[in-house]
Amino acid sequence: MRKPLMAGNWKMNKTLTESIPLIKELINLVGTYQDTETVICPPFTSLWVARELIQDTNILLGAQNLYFQKEGAYTGEISARMLQNIGCSYVILGHSERRGYFQESSAEVAQKVQEALIFNLKPIICVGEKLREREAGKAQDIVREETEAIFTVLKPAEVDRVVFAYEPIWAIGTGKAATPRDANEMIQYLRSLLVHKYGERVAEDTRILYGGSVNPENIKALMAESDIDGALVGGASLQAESFARIVKFKEKE
Ligand code: PEP
């Protein structure tokens, strides 16, 4: 059984001062909730305070990026070891905003995945197509290329420590989520790639999230699909109440 996972990607939002009330409110709403694995990924500047606030709760900590080198003269970068040391369990890697604005290649994302695993961080690996690629009938090709780049570094015994997130770029921050059916279809395709590379059992155990304009209104329908194991949530994770409703998607409102 794959436990549902909801990860909030705060992106470049919330100062340290603004993070504190948001985390406290979230703790009040879902701090003891166990049916969903709940992860918050604040900016680096709020990781420490988040870690202090969420200890003794069921909320886990994630970062939004790392650099694949161990340490040294890489001004402005953050290593996997630093993230492990500050208390992160997860790290988002290969988000389309990093691939787009910062020219991160799939090969670089793969290096980051390797480094994360060395330091016991669970990577949430994002893949997904642009609108023009979908319209050109190339959505599966893009997802396959981005996923197979990760397969080149991922050993069979490591697959249970990674999470994939299918995030169609046209759905991110646009208010236009993929339909549950389309999202599920692509996630089934991604799972079939896992079956082909690592076998049925490994593929069945690997969690694959959907991301792109997830909100409290559409989460139930997405989670009703056979292969969607949770969500990577941007905008709706910036308010405790909306993120909590997503985390508690199973509950009657
Ligand atoms: C994201 O940043 O990964 C994301 C899915 O954002 P949003 O929920 O705002 O579309």
Side-chain angles (χ1 to χ4, degrees), residues 9 11 95 97 167 171-174 211-214 232-236:
N9 175 13
K11 312 193 188 194
H95 192 281
E97 287 151 17
E167 297 213 308
I172 298 179
T174 59
S213 297
V214 170
L232 184 53
V233 185

Side-chain angles (χ1 to χ4, degrees), residues 200-235:
E200 193 82 44
R201 192 196 57 77
V202 169
E204 273 307 305
D205 288 349
T206 305
R207 287 182 295 184
I208 310 178
L209 314 181
Y210 165 76
S213 297
V214 170
N215 60 43
E217 279 68 48
N218 60 21
I219 189 66
K220 274 190 207 295
L222 287 160
M223 293 305 290
E225 295 289 333
S226 61
D227 280 68
I228 302 180
D229 301 320
L232 184 53
V233 185

Side-chain angles (χ1 to χ4, degrees), residues 20-37:
I20 294 169
L22 172 53
I23 297 166
K24 285 186 174 166
E25 210 185 323
L26 194 63
I27 292 169
N28 279 338
L29 295 169
V30 299
T32 57
Y33 193 68
Q34 293 188 354
D35 289 3
T36 302
E37 196 171 339

Side-chain angles (χ1 to χ4, degrees), residues 228-242:
I228 302 180
D229 301 320
L232 184 53
V233 185
S237 71
L238 294 173
Q239 284 171 348
E241 199 254 349
S242 59

Side-chain angles (χ1 to χ4, degrees), residues 166-211:
Y166 168 56
E167 297 213 308
I169 297 171
W170 45 270
I172 298 179
T174 59
K176 289 187 193 138
T179 63
R181 197 167 148 207
D182 285 351
N184 195 53
E185 200 176 285
M186 187 62 90
I187 288 175
Q188 281 180 326
Y189 174 67
L190 207 163
R191 204 177 298 287
S192 76
L193 300 174
L194 283 162
V195 172
H196 189 248
K197 174 78 181 173
Y198 298 103
E200 193 82 44
R201 192 196 57 77
V202 169
E204 273 307 305
D205 288 349
T206 305
R207 287 182 295 184
I208 310 178
L209 314 181
Y210 165 76

